[in-house]
């Protein structure tokens, strides 16, 4: 396991991004109807069979991307949908990723208050301390300021990371996130996401590591490049997890503002665009179903090349 002597997730992430020379995180979002035909035909069409196929699919993706990228992000919902069988597949996927030198962000968007929040954190975070053994976790902030400290306490104690939802990539995210708050005479009006951003930045400042970033990060979508630029300026010590690249329309140009001058400060997620690359027009004719792993590698390398060419992430591999 890489960097396990370290005690700070964002420092680990920075070192591994520099070692790989890119900030790509591959989202593991298995969907039954999109799996390669060979995997589907090899199992039964029930929960157990689908879970077996999901684990095999994700582990074979990991085999391809582990030498190329620093991290993966399993989306828990797709495993949880299959019940206990799916959760066993998720555990196997996490173990395989870590055995192959990858950091694992557990994308479950958890939160609650008090002891319930602490139980979520204790159960998910920490390779040796928790049941799920995740290196980092996505968290919702909308239960308020007292809902985040239980996660922060566990994360800092165990050297893990958090990514708090600040400005999400989905089209409807602005329904609440963009609401103007603070219209009173003594409070400056601003979007709600800026209030969340200020809280997250304060938590990041309190947990800074050697590369200048705290263990509390933020989810900021690629599909809103103007807000991404704005939030990078407002959150200089917060590492960003940037969804929305590729299938959701975000480009390398859109995410350039997420990085600092060293190429640090962000990881950019692609899920469907990589893991189902064999279905994309530019790869389907070349590779097809039988060579789907080669399509995964080609799509990963394409994304890496785009980020190196069009963002400060091109400086990651510099001495």
């Amino acid at each position: 396991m890489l960097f396990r002597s370290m005690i700070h997730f964002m420092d680990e992430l920075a070192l591994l991004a520099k070692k790989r020379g890119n900030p790509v995180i591959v989202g593991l979002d298995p969907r039954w109807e999109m799996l390669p035909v060979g995997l589907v035909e090899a199992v039964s069409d029930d929960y157990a069979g689908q879970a077996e196929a999901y684990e095999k699919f994700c582990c074979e993706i990991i085999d391809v991307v582990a030498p190329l990228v620093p991290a993966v992000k399993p989306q828990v919902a797709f495993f949880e949908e299959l019940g206990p069988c799916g959760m066993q597949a998720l555990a196997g996927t996490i173990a395989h990723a870590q055995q192959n030198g990858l950091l694992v962000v557990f994308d479950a968007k958890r939160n609650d208050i008090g002891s319930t929040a602490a139980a979520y954190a204790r159960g998910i975070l920490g390779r040796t301390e928790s049941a799920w053994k995740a290196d980092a976790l996505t968290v919702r902030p909308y239960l308020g300021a007292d809902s985040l400290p239980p996660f922060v306490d566990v994360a800092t104690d165990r050297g893990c990371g958090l990514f708090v939802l600040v400005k999400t990539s989905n089209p409807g995210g602005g329904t609440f996130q963009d609401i103007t708050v603070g219209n009173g005479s003594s409070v400056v009006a601003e979007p709600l996401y800026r209030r969340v951003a200020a809280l997250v930045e304060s938590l990041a400042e309190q947990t800074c590591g050697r590369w200048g970033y705290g263990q509390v990060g933020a989810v900021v979508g690629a599909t809103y490049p103007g807000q991404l630029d704005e939030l990078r300026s407002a959150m200089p010590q917060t590492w960003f997890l940037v969804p929305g690249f590729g299938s959701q329309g975000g480009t390398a140009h859109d995410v350039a503002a997420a990085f600092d001058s060293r190429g640090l400060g962000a990881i950019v997620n692609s899920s469907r665009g990589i893991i189902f690359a064999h279905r994309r027009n530019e790869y389907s004719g070349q590779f097809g179903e039988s060579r789907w792993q080669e399509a995964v590698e080609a799509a990963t390398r394409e994304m890496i090349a785009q980020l190196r060419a069009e963002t400060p992430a091109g400086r990651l591999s510099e001495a």
Side-chain angles (χ1 to χ4, degrees):
M1 292 181 284
L2 294 179
F3 310 124
R4 283 293 96 191
S5 62
M6 305 292 292
I7 57 171
H8 195 291
F9 173 79
M10 299 305 176
D11 285 349
E12 294 185 71
L13 183 55
L15 288 170
L16 197 49
K18 288 173 68 67
K19 182 176 181 179
R20 297 288 187 261
N22 71 83
V24 172
I25 179 169
V26 176
L28 301 177
D29 299 12
R31 305 174 191 218
W32 179 248
E33 69 278 7
M34 296 181 73
L35 295 183
V37 172
L39 290 180
V40 172
E41 293 179 342
V43 298
S44 56
D45 185 8
D46 56 16
Y47 291 144
Q50 290 182 36
E52 179 183 348
Y54 280 14
E55 183 173 353
K56 181 174 176 59
F57 177 63
C58 290
C59 288
E60 292 189 5
I61 290 168
I62 288 164
D63 291 340
V64 173
V65 304
L68 304 177
V69 306
V72 291
K73 182 177 68 66
Q75 170 48 259
V76 173
F78 292 105
F79 297 90
E80 195 168 45
E81 182 180 18
L82 302 180
C85 298
M87 302 314 270
Q88 290 177 346
L90 174 60
T93 296
I94 291 170
H96 192 71
Q98 292 174 338
Q99 289 163 4
N100 282 273
L102 290 164
L103 294 171
V104 174
V105 176
F106 195 92
D107 191 2
K109 301 176 180 68
R110 295 286 194 254
N111 208 344
D112 213 302
I113 57 173
S115 59
T116 310
Y120 273 136
R122 291 194 305 268
I124 293 169
L125 292 169
R127 290 196 181 188
T128 60
E129 304 93 341
S130 74
W132 281 112
K133 307 184 185 304
D135 299 304
L137 169 67
T138 56
V139 177
R140 292 177 287 111
Y142 290 100
L143 278 81
D146 60 340
S147 70
L148 294 178
F151 289 94
V152 177
D153 289 345
V154 173
T156 54
D157 182 59
R158 298 180 179 182
C160 296
L162 299 172
F163 290 100
V164 182
L165 303 183
V166 173
K167 190 72 178 78
T168 58
S169 60
N170 59 303
T175 303
F176 299 118
Q177 296 164 21
D178 292 355
I179 289 175
T180 300
V181 297
N183 290 318
S185 59
S186 63
V187 182
V188 176
E190 60 184 351
L192 180 58
Y193 71 80
R194 285 297 302 264
R195 290 286 182 88
V196 179
L199 174 60
V200 173
E201 174 67 9
S202 70
L203 294 171
E205 290 174 353
Q206 297 168 34
T207 58
C208 262
R210 61 171 292 201
W211 295 98
Y213 289 97
Q215 289 182 202
V216 183
V219 176
V220 183
T223 48
Y224 299 99
Q227 284 90 346
L228 183 61
D229 189 3
E230 167 199 339
L231 289 169
R232 177 75 288 160
S233 296
M235 307 173 76
Q237 293 178 290
T238 302
W239 195 290
F240 289 175
L241 167 58
V242 184
F245 185 95
S247 296
Q248 287 182 264
T251 67
H253 177 75
D254 293 332
V255 305
F259 301 95
D260 66 24
S261 61
R262 302 167 295 180
L264 296 173
I267 46 172
V268 182
N269 179 78
S270 179
S271 300
R272 286 170 289 168
I274 286 178
I275 68 174
F276 300 122
H278 65 283
R279 291 177 171 267
R280 291 169 55 182
N281 291 336
E282 61 267 47
Y283 297 123
S284 59
Q286 181 180 0
F287 299 111
E289 294 274 345
S290 64
R291 297 167 59 195
W292 67 270
Q293 284 177 285
E294 293 177 64
V296 167
E297 180 176 357
T300 304
R301 290 187 182 278
E302 176 190 33
M303 181 177 175
I304 290 170
Q306 290 173 355
L307 292 174
R308 284 176 175 168
E310 298 184 48
T311 78
R315 302 179 187 135
L316 281 171
S317 57
E318 295 176 359

